[in-house]
Amino acid sequence: MRRFIALIIALTLAGPTASAFAQEAPQNDPHWLESPRHFSGGFDVGLIFPTDEDFQDIYGKKGDAIYTLRGGWRVFHELEINGSLSYAWFEGRGLSNDGKKTHEKFKMHMAPAELGLVYRFAFVPDQVIVPYIGAMGLYGYWFEEKLDSSSKNRGLNAGVGAQAGLMILLDNVDKKASGRLESQWGINNTYLCYNFRYHKLDDFKDTDEVVDLSAHMHTFGILFQF
């Protein structure tokens, strides 16, 4: 009988303690909260490698820096309408009729804009590594200037492209910090990303009169889902 009474007293005292712990746990670790996810946004930095031989003759084959801002709208499961705007520039020297480099200096600015679909292969919550693929339509504004001269050319090319990459979840590095981003800013997930893109940006014309801006790119960046 004494043991039974002691058990009842212990359970009575443990009840409020367990209830209080249950109420305080989400505050101590707010990572438990998962708000609705509809959008994504981020930025990438990397290298762009032009593939057109005429372009390479003037600006070289080495990669130049490219900067990208991107955003997306989740439409179904992990399918997303995705858009981005990039900027890159190249410097090179002109060619003489016999193919030798001249002292003329040129600078090319380009800003390709993308709009397409991305699908991410995420099947479980907090999946650490998420591959993805995508395809897009393109418009690329370009502006070429001959330095030390008033000669300038500009245009707008249309094209198509494809992309693939890997996303690595950063939330588990610091769950409490991730929870604060979730509760205060609505950011569900933060990823470190590697992205490969190919642009065929030749205005759908295979002529020497078109400035072919086709290229492939390797970039790294941060992506937020919210």
Side-chain angles (χ1 to χ4, degrees):
M1 185 67 179
R2 292 180 180 178
R3 292 181 180 179
F4 178 76
I5 294 173
L7 178 61
I8 295 297
I9 294 173
L11 291 176
T12 302
L13 294 175
T17 303
S19 177
F21 175 80
Q23 293 176 3
E24 291 177 3
Q27 297 176 6
N28 293 334
D29 183 9
H31 186 65
W32 69 278
L33 182 63
E34 187 75 13
S35 62
R37 174 166 62 86
H38 302 292
F39 304 99
S40 68
F43 59 90
D44 299 344
V45 178
L47 294 175
I48 177 172
F49 299 87
T51 58
D52 179 65
E53 292 184 358
D54 293 335
F55 194 100
Q56 291 175 351
D57 288 341
I58 296 176
Y59 295 104
K61 297 181 180 180
K62 294 182 179 180
D64 283 272
I66 184 167
Y67 307 90
T68 301
L69 290 174
R70 62 178 66 254
W73 174 48
R74 184 186 183 193
V75 292
F76 175 73
H77 188 52
E78 294 297 331
L79 182 66
E80 182 178 277
I81 297 175
N82 193 269
S84 71
L85 178 64
S86 303
Y87 172 71
W89 75 92
F90 309 86
E91 293 184 351
R93 293 169 56 190
L95 292 176
S96 62
N97 292 332
D98 58 1
K100 295 182 179 180
K101 290 287 186 179
T102 68
H103 295 291
E104 297 175 318
K105 294 182 179 180
F106 291 87
K107 191 170 186 178
M108 170 70 78
H109 306 264
M110 59 180 291
E114 308 172 359
L115 183 63
L117 294 174
V118 167
Y119 184 80
R120 299 186 174 94
F121 296 92
F123 304 109
V124 296
D126 292 338
Q127 183 173 318
V128 176
I129 298 178
V130 180
Y132 65 91
I133 57 173
M136 74 288 283
L138 299 167
Y139 267 108
Y141 173 78
W142 59 269
F143 173 74
E144 186 178 43
E145 55 183 333
K146 183 178 179 182
L147 302 181
D148 301 325
S149 170
S150 60
S151 176
K152 293 179 175 63
N153 294 304
R154 66 193 70 203
L156 188 65
N157 286 13
V160 293
Q163 65 178 319
L166 289 174
M167 303 176 4
I168 300 175
L169 185 67
L170 299 179
D171 292 11
N172 292 330
V173 175
D174 189 336
K175 289 189 175 183
K176 289 187 177 180
S178 172
R180 287 192 294 270
L181 286 175
E182 175 76 27
S183 60
Q184 296 177 14
W185 300 97
I187 296 176
N188 300 76
N189 300 308
T190 304
Y191 292 94
L192 175 67
C193 303
Y194 162 74
N195 181 267
F196 171 80
R197 284 180 288 168
Y198 173 71
H199 287 177
K200 184 170 177 58
L201 199 51
D202 59 359
D203 210 30
F204 303 107
K205 298 175 183 176
D206 187 15
T207 67
D208 294 336
E209 297 178 358
V210 174
V211 177
D212 191 343
L213 303 179
S214 299
H216 63 266
M217 289 142 276
H218 300 270
T219 60
F220 292 89
I222 295 291
L223 182 77
F224 303 99
Q225 292 181 332
F226 51 93

